[in-house]
Amino acid sequence: EDQVTQSPEALRLQEGESSSLNCSYTVSGLRGLFWYRQDPGKGPEFLFTLYSAGEEKEKERLKATLTKKESFLHITAPKPEDSATYLCAVQAASGGSYIPTFGRGTSLIVHP
Amino acid sequence: DAGVIQSPRHEVTEMGQEVTLRCKPISGHNSLFWYRQTMMRGLELLIYFNNNVPIDDSGMPEDRFSAKMPNASFSTLKIQPSEPRDSAVYFCASSFSNEKLFFGSGTQLSVL
């Protein structure tokens, strides 16, 4: 069974204080790992897809990296508008259905 | 494109009543997912359609839940009879060829 564990559950940062969110996964053959951002009262919004170990993707203050067992979402010099819940999801290559399994998310609050 | 459209945004009903949630996926997308989100369990997959055909409904809690996709531009999730433990946010998401998901804004369901 595919498993996704995100840590920490919650993170409070001061504006400008860089940090990383972790997503550990167990999957029988990784097809893709996805990061989403979810704001209160809204649906998750796509950020990145990573397909193979060593791959990195960047968008503004966010950088996602991938190893064979985990992914990190690095947040550099965060701003209050980066406050949100960040969700990680994995797709297994086996089975053919490619249904993504989501982690519980990390709730990030950035104080001004 | 208007994105994935869900209705209603909020639904308050009494235990035992029938509830119908509606979803219009993004035009051209061939996969549709229904998820339920709670604080306790995070995002849980209820059912997955591919080309309007239900592929995986193993996440549907019990016979009280049913989902249909009569055509490529419309899906419904029905709960009959509803129970207080069904209270949650229900998300519909669509994708093209099992790539990144696009989520609707969700339906906040409260069963009293």
Side-chain angles (χ1 to χ4, degrees):
Chain A
E1 182 180 329
D2 302 338
Q3 290 190 346
V4 181
T5 303
Q6 291 189 246
S7 62
E9 289 186 13
L11 181 63
R12 291 178 179 269
L13 298 174
Q14 288 297 127
E15 185 172 2
E17 180 186 1
S18 301
S19 188
S20 296
L21 313 182
N22 177 265
C23 171
S24 298
Y25 62 90
T26 304
V27 65
S28 53
L30 180 70
R31 180 177 184 269
L33 184 142
F34 301 82
W35 282 99
Y36 292 84
R37 168 187 171 133
Q38 185 174 21
D39 292 299
K42 296 186 177 181
E45 183 177 339
F46 171 79
L47 291 173
F48 305 109
T49 308
L50 301 166
Y51 293 103
S52 57
E55 188 175 0
E56 298 183 354
K57 293 276 181 71
E58 284 189 69
K59 179 180 179 181
E60 296 181 354
R61 295 176 292 281
L62 301 177
K63 183 169 80 172
T65 61
L66 181 65
T67 72
K68 289 186 178 181
K69 294 184 178 181
E70 58 191 349
S71 176
F72 291 94
L73 184 65
H74 306 280
I75 304 177
T76 301
K79 297 182 177 181
E81 53 261 44
D82 294 323
S83 298
T85 295
Y86 291 86
L87 297 166
C88 168
V90 297
Q91 270 185 337
S94 62
S97 66
Y98 305 136
I99 296 172
T101 299
F102 281 83
R104 296 284 302 276
T106 293
S107 174
L108 173 66
I109 297 176
V110 182
H111 296 284
Chain B
D1 200 318
V4 176
I5 300 173
Q6 289 188 247
S7 64
R9 286 283 280 131
H10 302 276
E11 177 79 40
V12 180
T13 190
E14 292 188 349
M15 183 174 63
Q17 296 298 306
E18 177 179 296
V19 175
T20 300
L21 310 182
R22 297 172 176 80
C23 174
K24 176 179 170 57
I26 292 173
S27 177
H29 283 188
N30 57 356
S31 296
L32 185 137
F33 305 78
W34 282 101
Y35 283 91
R36 177 171 67 178
Q37 188 175 44
T38 61
M39 289 292 291
M40 292 293 294
R41 302 173 69 89
L43 264 175
E44 300 175 280
L45 178 72
L46 297 176
I47 189 167
Y48 158 61
F49 291 87
N50 188 254
N51 293 321
N52 312 337
V53 176
I55 302 299
D56 187 339
D57 65 354
S58 59
M60 296 286 263
E62 49 201 85
D63 292 345
R64 297 185 298 106
F65 284 67
S66 62
K68 294 182 179 180
M69 191 165 186
N71 57 62
S73 53
F74 185 65
S75 178
T76 60
L77 178 67
K78 186 176 294 186
I79 308 173
Q80 166 63 20
S82 58
E83 296 182 3
R85 60 189 167 128
D86 301 330
S87 298
V89 181
Y90 290 80
F91 286 105
C92 174
S94 69
S95 73
F96 178 70
S97 294
N98 297 301
E99 295 299 326
K100 61 187 178 184
L101 300 188
F102 292 80
F103 285 80
S105 296
T107 295
Q108 174 76 59
L109 174 64
S110 297
V111 183
L112 306 177

